[in-house]
């Protein structure tokens, strides 16, 4: 999945010709330029002299249409208030658009390209980097690495530079596991919702851990978690475990049930998991130490609530990019949350430290105020006698690295 080790353009190669012409602001032979583009790996990744932990990454887009511009939206690099950094350059009188960004060599993130129509209103331009944008981004047609899809029909490209953690278990496309997938629709946390149990293809006598995943519609329908679990088991990276996924009803209901509320966690612990084990009495279940809940964003807070409210069920939780801004009254918002603000999530968790639960906190280095809050929570958990581990990935708020962190976390167990 990772882009190759950066090339050094010390000879006149196709990559060097591309970069020289872009820097010069003109192309002498358009056909040769696009022939060169087809022969290299894009985006182009070049080492930076004297800065071994940095890469110059050049993106190229082809469009002869009359456009106001092309916008490269790279997670937490050119989105939100940084839209200007993602506006691509056009070579005069050509169909060539390009942009070079200097990035950490360990960066992993998702991105799209947006063609901006002529005469686009300033109000629409101001929303380019937000989730309210009226435009639909496209995957990078010149990036041949598998992309990622986390909802609907929208697909994004993935940029994983050479020092980013490997994600050998993920291939980008939805994968079906070889094991048994069972689906049913119980009432959980007050709503009838789809629940799925994936049982890997291992003998019944092999002890099975249990991984519980909120946001299961993303993990199962789009990311292909069962195939990734199979690959990790096959390689010996993780011990065999089943996956119990709980869907959201819709986005509004997701916001209402995930986060710092405990109803979902308690229903999973008190009703759902005992029911699963009773349904499969011939299976050997590995027990509490290998029963883990993993969540991202609001689901990351749910993982912490599992440690706080159901420590007798969960021996470990994996918490990725938790929404540390969350409050019970709903008054807080991510954009208004600063490093200096009090964190209800931390205070609630530490009001009764889950000293029998292993906690793995992961956060993207580009997630602003979330980073210091996660680090501080880790330090306070350790001081309270909780086994806490903290890992900072180079990236943003993004399934592109969350999926890798999921397998990393299971392997850590």
């Amino acid at each position: 999945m990772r882009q190759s080790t950066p090339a050094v353009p010390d000879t006149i190669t196709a990559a060097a010709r591309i970069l020289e012409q872009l820097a010069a602001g003109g192309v002498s032979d358009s056909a040769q330029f696009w022939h060169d583009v087809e022969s290299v790996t894009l985006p182009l990744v070049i080492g930076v002299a004297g800065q071994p932990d940095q890469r110059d990454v050049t993106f190229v887009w082809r469009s002869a249409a009359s456009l106001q511009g092309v916008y490269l939206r790279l997670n937490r690099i050119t989105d939100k208030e940084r839209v200007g950094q993602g506006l691509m350059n056009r070579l005069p009188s050509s169909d060539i658009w390009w942009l070079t960004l200097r990035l950490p060599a360990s960066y992993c993130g998702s991105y799209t390209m947006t063609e901006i129509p002529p005469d686009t209103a300033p109000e629409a331009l101001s929303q380019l980097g937000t989730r309210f944008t009226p435009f639909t981004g496209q995957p990078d047609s010149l990036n041949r690495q598998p992309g990622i899809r986390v909802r609907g029909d929208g697909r994004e490209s993935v940029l994983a530079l050479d020092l980013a953690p490997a994600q050998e278990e993920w291939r980008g496309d939805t994968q079906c596991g070889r094991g048994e997938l069972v689906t049913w629709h119980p009432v959980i946390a007050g709503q009838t919702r789809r629940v799925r149990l994936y049982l890997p293809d291992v003998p019944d006598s092999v002890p099975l851990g249990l991984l519980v995943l909120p946001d299961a519609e993303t993990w199962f329908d789009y990311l292909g978690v069962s195939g990734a679990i199979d690959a990790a088991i096959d390689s010996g990276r993780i011990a065999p475990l089943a996956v119990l996924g709980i869907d959201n009803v819709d986005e509004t209901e997701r916001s209402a049930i995930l986060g710092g509320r405990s109803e979902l966690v308690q229903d999973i612990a008190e009703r759902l998991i005992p029911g699963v084990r009773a349904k499969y009495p011939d299976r050997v279940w590995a027990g509490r130490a290998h029963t883990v809940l993993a969540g991202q964003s609001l689901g990351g807070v749910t993982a912490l609530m599992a440690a706080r409210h159901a420590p007798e069920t969960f021996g470990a939780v994996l918490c990725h990019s938790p929404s540390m801004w969350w409050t019970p009254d709903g008054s807080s918002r991510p954009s208004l949350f600063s490093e200096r603000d009090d964190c209800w999530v931390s205070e609630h968790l530490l009001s009764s430290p889950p000293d029998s639960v292993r906690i793995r906190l992961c956060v993207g280095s580009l997630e602003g105020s979330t980073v210091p809050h996660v680090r501080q929570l880790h330090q306070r958990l350790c001081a309270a006698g909780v086994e806490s581990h903290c890992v900072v990935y180079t990236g943003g708020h993004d399934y592109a690295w969350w999926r890798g962190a999921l397998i990393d976390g299971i392997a850590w167990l």
Side-chain angles (χ1 to χ4, degrees):
M1 293 298 298
R2 292 180 293 175
Q3 263 71 11
S4 58
T5 302
V8 178
D10 53 356
T11 59
I12 302 300
T13 62
R17 284 195 298 269
I18 292 169
L19 293 173
E20 287 173 358
Q21 292 177 91
L22 293 178
V27 171
S28 56
D29 185 338
S30 181
Q32 179 62 47
F33 178 87
W34 289 114
H35 176 76
D36 286 343
V37 164
E38 291 173 359
S39 69
V40 300
T41 298
L42 287 176
L44 285 173
V45 182
I46 304 297
V48 178
Q51 299 184 56
D53 60 344
Q54 298 289 302
R55 303 290 182 259
D56 282 338
V57 183
T58 298
F59 302 82
V60 179
W61 183 254
R62 186 174 193 174
S63 177
S66 177
L67 298 172
Q68 187 166 326
V70 177
Y71 166 54
L72 165 69
R73 178 174 178 165
L74 182 59
N75 194 291
R76 288 301 197 269
I77 298 292
T78 65
D79 56 1
K80 298 184 180 295
E81 70 278 2
R82 298 169 291 270
V83 168
Q85 299 174 41
L87 295 176
M88 303 185 78
N89 309 293
R90 184 175 191 174
L91 289 189
S93 304
S94 79
D95 57 357
I96 301 166
W97 297 81
W98 67 282
L99 181 66
T100 297
L101 297 170
R102 182 160 294 182
L103 301 171
S106 52
Y107 177 84
C108 177
S110 57
Y111 72 98
T112 57
M113 306 288 203
T114 299
E115 294 188 346
I116 306 171
D119 303 318
T120 296
E123 302 79 46
L125 290 175
S126 68
Q127 296 179 333
L128 267 177
T130 74
R131 59 192 179 94
F132 304 109
T133 178
F135 305 113
T136 300
Q138 307 173 53
D140 183 355
S141 59
L142 300 176
N143 182 345
R144 293 188 285 270
Q145 296 295 327
I148 194 170
R149 185 165 64 103
V150 298
R151 63 180 62 84
D153 296 325
R155 194 166 189 82
E156 300 184 359
S157 297
V158 173
L159 176 70
L161 297 182
D162 53 291
L163 297 187
Q167 296 184 9
E168 300 298 336
E169 297 82 11
W170 300 95
R171 304 300 178 193
D173 291 319
T174 299
Q175 308 164 74
C176 294
R178 301 186 307 274
E180 178 184 2
L181 182 64
V182 182
T183 301
W184 69 106
H185 294 80
V187 175
I188 299 292
Q191 294 276 5
T192 299
R193 62 185 74 239
R194 181 170 58 174
V195 171
R196 279 169 281 194
L197 176 67
Y198 178 70
L199 295 162
D201 185 18
V202 298
D204 288 358
S205 59
V206 173
L208 275 182
L210 182 63
L211 170 67
V212 179
L213 290 176
D215 292 319
E217 67 276 13
T218 294
W219 284 107
F220 277 92
D221 296 338
Y222 300 127
L223 295 175
V225 67
S226 56
I229 291 293
D230 277 359
I233 293 172
D234 291 346
S235 70
R237 190 167 178 221
I238 67 172
L241 84 169
V243 184
L244 180 62
I246 300 95
D247 280 20
N248 301 300
V249 175
D250 53 38
E251 278 296 315
T252 299
E253 193 267 347
R254 177 183 185 272
S255 298
I257 202 63
L258 297 184
R261 298 181 179 88
S262 61
E263 183 183 4
L264 177 64
V265 164
Q266 290 171 334
D267 260 10
I268 292 170
E270 296 170 9
R271 296 174 48 230
L272 194 55
I273 292 177
V276 164
R277 289 175 174 157
K279 185 177 180 179
Y280 293 92
D282 295 335
R283 290 279 183 171
V284 178
W285 296 98
R288 175 185 170 277
H290 298 278
T291 302
V292 55
L293 191 147
Q296 299 72 38
S297 194
L298 283 172
V301 180
T302 298
L304 296 178
M305 295 305 104
R308 170 68 171 77
H309 294 285
E312 69 288 345
T313 297
F314 297 102
V317 298
L318 308 178
C319 171
H320 305 146
S321 302
S323 301
M324 303 298 281
W325 52 267
W326 192 92
T327 55
D329 62 6
S331 61
S332 183
R333 292 290 181 272
S335 59
L336 303 176
F337 187 63
S338 75
E339 180 178 351
R340 297 179 298 277
D341 287 330
D342 293 333
C343 179
W344 180 92
V345 173
S346 294
E347 297 306 323
H348 183 67
L349 182 63
L350 289 160
S351 67
S352 181
D355 55 13
S356 64
V357 181
R358 304 169 72 191
I359 297 177
R360 181 176 169 94
L361 296 164
C362 300
V363 67
S365 61
L366 304 173
E367 292 194 81
S369 62
T370 303
V371 181
H373 277 285
V374 167
R375 283 178 164 152
Q376 184 184 64
L377 174 58
H378 163 65
Q379 293 165 358
R380 294 178 67 189
L381 285 169
C382 290
V386 178
E387 183 182 347
S388 174
H389 294 248
C390 185
V391 182
V392 179
Y393 288 76
T394 308
H397 202 74
D398 199 341
Y399 275 99
W401 71 260
W402 289 343
R403 61 182 181 174
L406 179 69
I407 304 297
D408 292 347
I410 300 169
W412 163 75
L413 292 174

